[in-house]
Amino acid sequence: MAVTPNPPAPPPPYPLTTLPRAIALPFPTWRPPAPHTPPPPRWRSYDRSTPTILSANRRRHAPPAAANGSAGRGGCFGGRAVMAGAGGGALRELLGRARKRKSTFGSIAELQTAALHLLDHHQNLSDLLLEVGGSDKPAGQGGTEHRELSSESFIVSVLQEQASRLAVPAAVLAAKNAVMKIEQICQSSASPSQAPLLNSDQRERLSCLLRTVKDLLEKNVFSRSHFCQEIWKMKDLPVLEAVWHLHRNGITGLGELLESADGRAVEEWLCSSLCALCEQAEGPPQDTEHAGRVLSDFAIMFLQNGFQPSEMGRKLEFKKVPHICHAVLQRMLTWVLNAVGKEKEEGDSTLQAMRFWLNVFDVSTYKSAVDPDSLQQFFRHTLTEVLTYNPLLKVSDAIHKQKEWSFTRTSSLLTALYRKLFVAFSARELICQLQQVLETHEVNWQHVLSCVSTLVVCQAEAEQLFKDLLSHLLIKAFENYDMENMITAFLIARQAALEGPAVFMPYSEWFKASFGNATGHHGSSKKALVFLFEFLSELVPFEVAPYLKVHIMYPPFVPTKHRSILLEYITLAKTRLADLKVAIEDMGLYEDLSSTHESVQPQGQALRDVEKALQIFENTRKIPTSVIEASIFRRPYYTSWFLPALLRPRVLPKAPDVRMAFIDCLKRADKIPPNLYSTYIQACRASKEKTLQDETKVEPSHSKEPAEQLKAELAALRVLIVDQAKHEDVPAQIAVVSDRLSVVLGHNRDENEAATLNSRIQVNVFDPKLEPRHQSVVDLLLTSFCQNLIAASYFNPPDRQGPCLSLFVKMLCGHRSLIPSLLGRLCQLLYHQGPSLNDAHILGLAAFMIHFCESKSLIPEIEADFGISQPVAEKVLSISEFWSCLLVCRTEESLSFCTRFCTAAVSYLLCKFPSFSCGDLCALVPPSLVKKLQYIVPRLSLEARGSTSKEGQADLVWSSLTCPSLNYRRASLCLWKQARFQELLKEKAFQLSFREWLLLELEMHPEKDVLSASERQDFHYWAIYQWYLPAPSASGGCDGDLEKACGVIIGCILDFSQRLNPGSCGQMKSVSPDILCKLQEMVLELGCRRRTLSGCLDAKRHFLFEILQERLKERHCGSALGEQLWRQQELLLHRRILVGLPASTLIVTCQKGKKTLLDCEDFFHYVNSELKNICSRGYALSYGITAHFFRGLLNASLDCEEPAEGVNDVLTTCQTKCPVVLLSAALWWPRLEPVLCSQWKRLFGAPLPEELERLRECQSSAVGFLSSGRVFPPSGPPWISAAFLHRTVQQQIPRGRERNALRRLGADTEQFLVSLLFFSLMDVISAKIAPKEGVDFQTSLEWALEILQCLEERGISWPLLFLSAEEGSGKYCILHSAASERHKRLLPVAFYSLTPGFHHQLLTREHFFLYVALSLYIQLLQLFVEGKDLPQPEQADPLEVISAARRFLLGAIPRCPAKSFGNIGLLLEACEKLDPEVGATLQHFSGPAAAMEVDEELFLF
């Protein structure tokens, strides 16, 4: 993948932080290394002339120059010259003359005889072997006589001649002389001690010798057996390399050599030589390479002879060799194991030598040279030896020390050995071998547990296999009540958990899963239960604190009848904790019980708890539940540790920060003792002299050294990831990175983290903030991941990169304290800075997301705060949903970024996992990414809206991402055309439904869209009418159902508006007008269809109101207040949608016989049940919906034969079924009248319908009644006339003529005046709960009191107005049906606001007045207890209202006649419960004696 340098990214728009430095800069261009061209072979220039061998002088006569080898060199190996002096010169002269003049010898036989005679007197046979071995002169350079002379036959003749004189066989003589020469060569080294490798001079001389010996072997003039025997008789045993050359050149095999030696001596020689060989291997590269060849051949020999399947012939041939091979391998392994744990004591050279020996365990060394069964036998034997080596540690030692045996803390020698041994086996075979060793041997627990750690880190499938092994061990333990299996299971579970949740479940989770429920192994019987607690009790003296805390906080399940067993263990465990100076009461609020390391001191844990509590408070602005619980149930820890950590003296900032707000909140909740708080304030004042800079110096962040170590390990990891041959080393290196990361993060591996495993992660997406100490770490890790991906992709496609990147991300997920900062940084990069990222960043983060989702089981739920204007404010999300929320499509820039990111992510997914099925891929990528591509690609490309091409291969997708010439549109279209991507779209999880498409389209800002208005309209037409409307519902379509499509559009508009502008009073200014237009088109089309159908249509409900009311039924909110606010907002939006649709859609036209009728039943039902409850005036709808209904009514009347009659019928029906419509018309008539008159005249040009004309008369009569004293009310329902008069009075300026007007009312006006009082009370309530609606409380109250006075003067009974239709008279049911539910619930407030106007005769005249007053008082108290509907304190203090009502009752009860108490029996109990004093007063005065006393007092009065 060619990555070209990009220009620097523009300054990011998000001001919180900048991009990480390494990411913000362009990635370096990765260039493939130049192909390695080996240098030409440096052949030694040998003198190929025939050497002189007939030297008459001994070596002691050689001149100095020749002796040093600088002149007269005769051997091919660079040894000393053996031919010099006069003898040598005479021979040269003799041979030289042979070419110039005729030989004096008559024949060749004579010449040979003379030569043998000369040799017999002057020869050195061992030197002769070396010299002749180097004879290799080409033909044509020594004359015809010399060409005919055979050196082989010559040396054979010499050997035979001398052997005959000595009376020994020639082969034996050759063997002895060869050994002598080897001894000479080995002793000629200049080093003080014998080295295992020869130098170049020795190597050349030995090579010449071995060539001669090989020639003698071919002529059967060399005895192998005598040679093997003689070689071990050398004064100094041969150099290891010399023996290796004998083996390599076929002189004698290593097995034959070892068989002829003394076993003990050769063992010592081999071990010392091999150790020296390993030490010398750290020299020059050529020595290292040569030592590697020597070692590999010896290793092959050891396995061939020591672990080869037994064969009869071999067993008879070699008896000593198998034992020697075993012994040598065992001693060398012991040499390595002795150094384990002493690496600091050993020198670097020794450690390097041992690491070199570990090459013996490279499987590639043996290839086809060793039988696979033999190889596995050797590796299995070695693993067993390692696990059972020096088994001195007791189980108690293992319990106490095992945390020191984790992967990163184990000796590098031991982990390297384990990893090499693991190559020969599958994970299942390794665990079976481990299990077998544990069952049959005494083991070294340090080696066993470090093996467990290495296995679980380096083998991905080991986690499940270990879980199976643990289950097996527990089953066996409880079957036989075997303590050994129990301790083995516990040690393995704890050891595996030490490596973190990324590779194995935490110990606390394993303990809960194994023993935390009745189905556990211990739940089968009391004996099993006792066995478990006996075992746990035996562990207690050796346990460390974290495990004891787990056992106490997550105790095993125990039946109630055996509870004493558990309590006894808990007491014992707490005693042990006390001995360790760890109190269970001092456990932190957010202490991680899954951590298996030593507990941090309470002070440190309290600081973490404070940080966590502040983080939660900052996101929720509520005191965390854990803090409240601690203040009640864990008071010692809360007061002794948590509060002192929170109230550390500091210089208080000018603007209150989160800590100050949290402290203030706790203080107001009485969670901080006053004396402690005052001490804190005084200490802060005393610290005012110190600056914030000084404070930061006192509390330094982590040192730079651990960060540098982390960088170095990340760099080393990149080298391994790039090289495919080194992928097997990646898991181990990632474990090292994890360990360094723990140190950088504040030693979280050694201390308890500040969050439990199951706690949710809180992320403020709208305003993400990172902890300073985590900022640079997260940037470094993300940078490393991106660079690793870019580097690895240059050399290999994603599917050949192995699991390296996946393991890296999984490791990060195991560091729980890092995840919030990691998610916060991703919010900054993707949500706030996405468009400023370059291609390399996007590609890296997209791949990171895929692997992050791959490890989603390690990530808890996320509480994401998106702010009030975001899609999901304060919602709990999975990691897949979280990624989706970070990628928004609102503007051209964000759409471009989202396209690039989703294309990169899905392309990487398809290329990384080419063999996965579509179902498997669903778990690796958030479905929203694929759905966003389905939304974006057809939006940007006309080509994608047609039939998709199924041509193309997956590699084209990856190439499109890496080709600089392709823009993001072409890259996404290239992906779209891939056959595999189209198959992915057929998966149910990845199908983009019509609803999801609409929500995405509504997010787009039209003014910032990449499409023009006309292009957007074309896209909408295609998507709605050509794609989703005809599509089947199984794939997210509408099945061709227009009503269904309308329902989806309405639901999406409402959902979008709810999450867009909560609290915006139903405004939908940001909703796409294009979508609204499409909705209007569909509704009109449905209306046209309904008109064309015959028959009565009133049997079917109006689809529009059915959709709206279904939404209200489906809502389930967590809290009553949340439900109330959501419902109010929802209804406001419903009203806005209704007003936006054609007015005639509110009315249904149906046929009844031959007559066309207007049906408003559904609209009336919707108004009565829902819409009237959002009326601020309490009894009237808003002007918009009122005018819309009347306009729709007049339009719909066009279909009637008699339009006026149709309108009259509807308005007459309103009087009984929906009076709120007529009351709304009365309220808005001055604005409504001209609109309706104009429309009617435009449509029909006739007089207004009778019912509309009656409304006009009511309005004119009301105005005339107030201004000129005209007769009022007119004919018709009195409550309509009262509504018009009430509205006219409210608009009358100046006020003051109302009282006189009321007195001018004629007789028989009871219903009219009571209705007028009702409307005035509605205004009183509206002024209390909605003062901004323009209704003045005092004015409304005065008007109500005037009406009340008029009622009193006329003696009209009115208290029943305040009772519901079920309790009181049905004559006021129309008024109650028109009022909103909230206004009706607040009638008690209005009633007790009228107490100043109550007449003193009211108590005696209205015998049911006490019942009404008492019922309303109880309702008032219930409202206060429930905390809803009452006015806010700034409008009217609820306590003052209740106090005034209480005073009135306590004063009124004694003055009520006895008959008033006759019907309060049902209220007495409730009153006594809510207000005992009032209840007692009622009880006192409701008795017969009390009633007599009251009558007497009234009589006397």
Side-chain angles (χ1 to χ4, degrees), residues 1383-1394:
H1383 280 73
K1384 286 190 288 186
R1385 285 194 296 270
L1386 289 176
L1387 278 175
V1389 177
F1391 176 84
Y1392 283 105
S1393 299
L1394 297 177

Side-chain angles (χ1 to χ4, degrees), residues 523-791:
S524 57
S525 65
K526 181 181 178 181
K527 185 176 181 181
L529 186 67
V530 171
F531 168 70
L532 172 63
F533 280 101
E534 283 182 355
F535 168 75
L536 293 177
S537 300
E538 289 189 14
L539 292 184
V540 167
F542 314 104
E543 289 276 38
V544 291
Y547 297 121
L548 291 173
K549 289 181 180 180
V550 170
H551 298 167
I552 294 173
M553 300 302 293
Y554 304 115
F557 172 81
V558 176
T560 306
K561 59 183 179 180
H562 301 313
R563 197 72 179 171
S564 59
I565 300 175
L566 172 62
L567 296 177
E568 183 178 351
Y569 169 75
I570 290 177
T571 302
L572 183 63
K574 286 186 176 181
T575 304
R576 169 64 176 167
L577 286 174
D579 294 340
L580 296 173
K581 298 181 180 179
V582 176
I584 196 71
E585 293 79 8
D586 291 339
M587 282 183 59
L589 307 184
Y590 306 100
E591 186 167 344
D592 182 11
L593 293 178
S594 67
S595 174
T596 52
H597 299 282
E598 293 293 342
S599 296
V600 68
Q601 292 300 315
Q603 302 95 320
Q605 184 60 49
L607 292 175
R608 287 184 180 78
D609 289 341
V610 168
E611 291 179 6
K612 182 67 176 178
L614 288 174
Q615 182 184 3
I616 296 174
F617 178 78
E618 183 178 10
N619 290 326
T620 64
R621 288 295 167 180
K622 296 178 182 178
I623 301 175
T625 305
S626 55
V627 175
I628 297 176
E629 292 175 351
S631 67
I632 300 172
F633 303 109
R634 300 185 56 200
R635 192 75 181 173
Y637 174 79
Y638 179 78
T639 56
S640 301
W641 300 110
F642 182 81
L643 285 181
L646 176 65
L647 302 176
R648 288 183 300 165
R650 62 178 183 137
V651 177
L652 298 178
K654 294 181 180 179
D657 59 2
V658 176
R659 184 182 289 264
M660 290 179 65
F662 183 51
I663 292 172
D664 183 64
C665 195
L666 288 175
K667 180 177 178 293
R668 284 188 279 107
D670 293 330
K671 298 299 181 183
I672 299 179
N675 58 340
L676 185 61
Y677 181 77
S678 60
T679 303
Y680 165 69
I681 295 298
Q682 292 174 3
C684 290
R685 289 171 182 169
S687 302
K688 199 170 184 179
E689 298 177 357
K690 297 181 180 180
T691 63
L692 291 175
Q693 294 178 354
D694 294 334
E695 183 181 356
T696 57
K697 291 179 181 178
V698 173
E699 299 178 359
S701 60
H702 56 278
S703 63
K704 293 183 178 180
E705 183 179 354
E708 295 300 324
Q709 292 178 356
L710 177 61
K711 288 181 182 178
E713 299 299 344
L714 288 172
L717 176 63
R718 187 175 307 121
V719 174
L720 300 178
I721 290 177
V722 169
D723 189 349
Q724 193 174 7
K726 297 181 179 178
H727 282 181
E728 63 180 15
D729 297 329
V730 168
Q733 182 61 25
I734 287 178
V736 176
V737 170
S738 178
D739 186 66
R740 300 296 182 269
L741 180 58
S742 298
V743 177
V744 172
L745 294 178
H747 303 281
N748 287 333
R749 292 291 296 269
D750 296 326
E751 299 175 357
N752 293 310
E753 297 183 2
T756 61
L757 276 177
N758 298 321
S759 63
R760 291 172 177 167
I761 297 175
Q762 290 157 345
V763 181
N764 189 338
V765 179
F766 187 67
D767 185 19
K769 296 179 180 178
L770 275 66
E771 294 184 27
R773 64 173 181 160
H774 288 177
Q775 171 78 56
S776 59
V777 178
V778 171
D779 288 347
L780 177 62
L781 295 170
L782 289 177
T783 302
S784 176
F785 180 89
C786 293
Q787 292 177 341
N788 289 342
L789 175 70
I790 298 299

Side-chain angles (χ1 to χ4, degrees), residues 505-517:
M505 63 193 304
Y507 175 73
S508 58
E509 294 295 314
W510 175 81
F511 190 80
K512 284 191 294 182
S514 301
F515 308 108
N517 51 64

